Amino acid sequence: MYAPERQQEILRLARESGRVDVLSLAEEFQVTAETVRRDLRTLDRAGLVRRVHGGAIPAGRLDFEPDLAERESTAADEKDRIARAAIAELPSDGSVIIDAGSTAARFAAALPLEANLTVVTHALPVAARLADHPGIALHLVGGRVRHRTRAAVDAWALRGYGEIKADVVFLATNGFSLDGGLTTPDLAEGAVKGAMIAAARRVVLLADSAKFGREHFARFGGLDDVDLLITDTGLSPQDALAIERRGTEVARA
């Protein structure tokens, strides 16, 4: 079976069952797991499926929001490179906001021990990583905690971000596109992200390339709200140039 035929069959199975997993597909088609992962990457880039931990789901499920555990293990290498590249954007003895999300949590874990910063976050995993950091004055924004993202939302969180002005926000997103802007599945999460953009002088978006072209229900900003996008080399030079023409600097780690 040629790759396009196999990918078409994988897409059919995903649409029928709502999800496919790598190991089962490898066994069914008598190929390696890495071959299946390449097929899923191809289908993902074509916008036909969305990769999740261990497999993929049909792209039509716009309401699907993977939990934090699944996102932690998706595109892990790319997220680590993005996190390391973002360290260069830290202000000297300044103030930063760190968003919720798996890439943001990796970035928080990568903050150097010698960093002296004021950090504000509404994300419990980020706060947990930084609570014992010797050089960080940590401020935790409160609110209702969403189980799926371990992040505070609603009025308390919005009020907290409305009271500050940080040097930089390190922002996360579920999807970004030229026309759709920055989107996330949940309206409450989107509202907090919008408040974070307003609460910072500079916006740095941390997003792996698989999120490019994806659009979700809640729009919380446009690419013109972003000063710098840090992504991985999976974003093509042509797409990077198109984004930069909108006024956003792009760094491919």
Side-chain angles (χ1 to χ4, degrees), residues 194-248:
M196 293 167 62
I197 291 173
R201 299 179 184 89
R202 176 172 166 80
V203 177
V204 176
L205 178 65
L206 310 180
D208 62 85
S209 61
K211 294 174 181 174
F212 181 64
R214 294 182 178 178
E215 295 182 7
H216 296 269
F217 178 63
R219 186 181 189 275
F220 60 89
L223 283 174
D224 55 351
D225 291 313
V226 177
D227 297 290
L228 171 64
L229 163 65
I230 303 179
T231 187
D232 58 81
T233 53
L235 184 75
S236 70
Q238 295 81 7
D239 288 332
L241 181 59
I243 292 171
E244 290 190 322
R245 285 173 175 160
R246 299 289 182 99
T248 301

Side-chain angles (χ1 to χ4, degrees), residues 69-238:
E70 287 194 356
R71 285 182 284 140
E72 281 282 0
S73 56
T74 303
D77 291 341
E78 291 89 342
K79 290 174 181 178
D80 283 336
R81 295 201 304 272
I82 291 167
R84 289 193 295 268
I87 296 299
E89 303 304 316
L90 288 169
S92 178
D93 297 325
S95 56
V96 303
I97 300 169
I98 302 179
D99 197 359
S102 55
T103 308
R106 279 178 156 82
F107 168 66
L111 293 186
L113 287 177
E114 64 271 18
N116 287 292
L117 295 165
T118 296
V119 176
V120 183
T121 187
H122 64 296
L124 298 184
V126 171
R129 283 170 166 85
L130 297 179
D132 295 326
H133 195 293
I136 285 178
L138 179 64
H139 297 260
L140 181 59
V141 170
R144 175 178 64 88
V145 175
R146 291 191 71 225
H147 296 300
R148 191 165 290 278
T149 58
R150 315 295 195 271
V153 295
D154 295 342
W156 283 2
L158 296 175
R159 186 161 60 246
Y161 281 122
E163 294 175 351
I164 65 170
K165 198 71 172 181
D167 294 314
V168 186
V169 57
F170 292 91
L171 189 69
T173 187
N174 295 79
F176 66 103
S177 64
L178 292 173
D179 296 324
L182 312 175
T183 57
T184 192
D186 185 77
L187 282 170
E189 293 266 6
V192 173
K193 289 176 183 293
M196 293 167 62
I197 291 173
R201 299 179 184 89
R202 176 172 166 80
V203 177
V204 176
L205 178 65
L206 310 180
D208 62 85
S209 61
K211 294 174 181 174
F212 181 64
R214 294 182 178 178
E215 295 182 7
H216 296 269
F217 178 63
R219 186 181 189 275
F220 60 89
L223 283 174
D224 55 351
D225 291 313
V226 177
D227 297 290
L228 171 64
L229 163 65
I230 303 179
T231 187
D232 58 81
T233 53
L235 184 75
S236 70
Q238 295 81 7

Side-chain angles (χ1 to χ4, degrees), residues 26-38:
E27 182 177 353
E28 176 163 346
F29 295 111
Q30 293 298 295
V31 295
T32 66
E34 183 52 39
T35 296
V36 172
R37 291 188 186 97
R38 284 197 298 270

Side-chain angles (χ1 to χ4, degrees), residues 3-22:
E5 296 174 308
R6 188 174 58 249
Q7 290 160 13
Q8 186 65 35
E9 184 64 11
I10 290 172
L11 179 59
R12 183 188 68 79
L13 292 170
R15 286 173 172 169
E16 283 185 357
S17 62
R19 180 180 177 125
V20 290
D21 69 88
V22 170

